[in-house]
Amino acid sequence: MKTIDLRSDTVTKPTPAMRRAIAEADVGDDIYGEDPTARRLEERVAELLGLEAALFVPTGTQANQIAMGLHCRLGDEVLAEGGSHIIHYESGALAGLWGVQPAPLEGERGVFSPEQVTAAVRTDFIGPRSRLVSLENTHNRGGGKVWPLERFRAVVEAGRAAGLAVHLDGARLFNAAVAAGVPASAWASLTDTTAVCFSKGLGAPAGSAIVGSRALIAEARRLRKRLGGAMRQVGVLAAGALYALEHHVERLAEDHALARRLAAGLAEVPGVTVDPRQVETNMVVAEFAAPQAESVARLAAQGVLVGATGSSPRAVRLVTHLDVSAADIDEVLRRVRQGLAG
Ligand code: TLP
């Protein structure tokens, strides 16, 4: 039985054409600034996001954490939605690396309001210093929710009015761009720093970038070194990322269509609750009758790998990606029916 892996869009393997691009990459020692492929990638990403400069880093976590280090000092506070990746899935790095605490805002599938930002900003000396507002687009625990651009702009303006810097965790920003039909720069150019990942929907084996002004990215280079993320002939990774930017952005629409097809199919299965209208990008969050761990195990027994997610104790996350076809989705639906019946 073929295993169909919907745990995340991080599980993809490089395509033969991407492997060729990686094999043929022109490389050099990047700590000496001599890797031409990394340079090309950084220039291309900065241009796509409408910001001055970019730095290639190993992971999205490191890109986000470099941003925290750039904007915050010991004892500062970061305003972020309560379910955001920087709070939930970065091994306590806010506190562990920078001595920074989160001010969690309650969002609607990851999206919050300018009024919430204004209300959360601390101005008294008894409280922590509010330093940064961090947004996530698409929002992971929000089920791949896209930040509406006007709301995003209003939140950025509220943050700026209060003297905050603005960071965007855009691990899946290109999914948002394709779904909304606007360029990624529409959101990113409003921020001080944006993190993007090549290893999620774009299908590269590894790599992310932190993007911002020339001055911030010069300092980011120092923090990347401090965190152990400065690499040598990194062009072998940058080549995969460049290939992904050239060939795998528009096709994200196919992943989104498959996610809608999956949600529509799951909505027909007795015992499964899902709202297909909430599927905006490549994630489907469905509630099964059993607790999370049991549903995950039952589906795994059917050769369908899914993950637990945060929105409820019965919610599972199914993610479409480059290595999943329409036939796979139909097969998943067949196995879900079978698994639940069994
Ligand atoms: N997300 C992973 C897990 O860590 C949960 C996934 O499977 O979705 N920002 C966002 C919004 C992310 O979803 C992720 C990865 C990251 C940052 C971190 O990227 P990496 O794994 O490259 O450090």
Side-chain angles (χ1 to χ4, degrees):
M1 179 168 61
K2 177 189 174 190
T3 299
I4 303 170
D5 194 345
L6 303 180
R7 285 172 302 170
S8 184
D9 48 10
T10 58
V11 301
T12 57
K13 303 204 174 135
T15 61
M18 183 185 281
R19 284 177 191 269
R20 271 197 300 282
I22 289 170
E24 289 162 9
D26 196 3
V27 300
D29 190 327
D30 194 42
I31 290 190
Y32 291 99
E34 291 172 2
D35 191 288
T37 312
R39 274 312 73 66
R40 265 175 51 220
L41 173 66
E42 288 166 349
E43 279 162 23
R44 181 76 186 121
V45 177
E47 178 187 42
L48 280 173
L49 297 197
L51 292 164
E52 281 176 4
L55 188 70
F56 186 69
V57 296
T59 64
T61 299
Q62 189 170 106
N64 281 336
Q65 290 305 321
I66 287 174
M68 300 303 126
L70 287 174
H71 299 302
C72 302
R73 296 294 170 266
L74 282 175
D76 285 349
E77 197 165 60
V78 175
L79 279 60
E81 203 276 333
S84 60
H85 198 278
I86 60 163
I87 295 178
H88 268 273
Y89 300 124
E90 300 191 3
S91 292
L94 281 180
L97 292 175
W98 312 111
V100 166
Q101 68 184 43
L105 307 179
E106 195 181 328
E108 174 77 32
R109 300 183 61 217
V111 173
F112 49 89
S113 69
E115 292 77 19
Q116 282 175 284
V117 171
T118 308
V121 171
R122 299 294 299 260
T123 49
D124 54 301
F125 76 92
I126 301 177
R129 190 197 314 263
S130 307
R131 186 74 80 154
L132 173 72
V133 57
S134 184
L135 303 95
E136 188 176 312
N137 190 23
T138 65
H139 200 278
N140 184 341
R141 280 167 75 100
K145 168 95 186 140
V146 178
W147 263 85
L149 184 55
E150 284 320 307
R151 174 66 78 87
F152 189 92
R153 195 191 306 276
V155 163
V156 169
E157 280 168 10
R160 299 247 185 258
L164 307 184
V166 179
H167 174 67
L168 167 60
D169 175 353
R172 297 186 179 83
L173 184 60
F174 292 104
N175 292 83
V178 167
V182 298
S185 59
W187 293 278
S189 64
L190 303 175
T191 69
D192 295 294
T193 49
T194 292
V196 288
C197 293
F198 310 111
S199 56
K200 310 284 174 316
L202 296 186
S208 293
I210 170 84
V211 196
S213 67
R214 274 192 199 89
L216 282 172
I217 296 308
E219 185 60 17
R221 192 176 298 279
R222 181 185 303 282
L223 295 184
R224 179 183 70 173
K225 183 71 181 126
R226 187 175 295 165
L227 295 173
M231 295 180 280
R232 299 293 178 174
Q233 284 68 26
V234 73
V236 291
L237 294 179
L242 260 176
Y243 183 90
L245 279 179
E246 279 161 26
H247 301 278
H248 292 170
V249 174
E250 294 311 320
R251 65 151 305 287
L252 291 170
E254 297 169 29
D255 297 347
H256 301 171
L258 287 187
R260 290 195 296 271
R261 181 185 184 121
L262 175 61
L266 286 172
E268 303 289 305
V269 181
V272 182
T273 309
V274 59
D275 182 355
R277 287 167 310 183
Q278 294 206 341
V279 178
E280 297 182 30
T281 55
N282 67 334
M283 293 185 186
V284 177
V285 175
E287 292 211 9
F288 285 67
Q292 270 170 350
E294 196 182 319
S295 302
V296 170
R298 281 174 82 161
L299 290 173
Q302 299 288 327
V304 177
L305 304 184
V306 303
T309 187
S311 46
S312 99
R314 294 176 189 277
V316 300
R317 183 183 81 159
L318 306 95
V319 187
T320 56
H321 52 73
L322 193 57
D323 293 351
V324 177
S325 66
D328 290 333
I329 293 303
D330 294 341
E331 177 62 15
V332 165
L333 289 168
R334 203 184 61 74
R335 293 187 199 171
V336 166
R337 280 186 222 107
Q338 200 170 24
L340 293 186

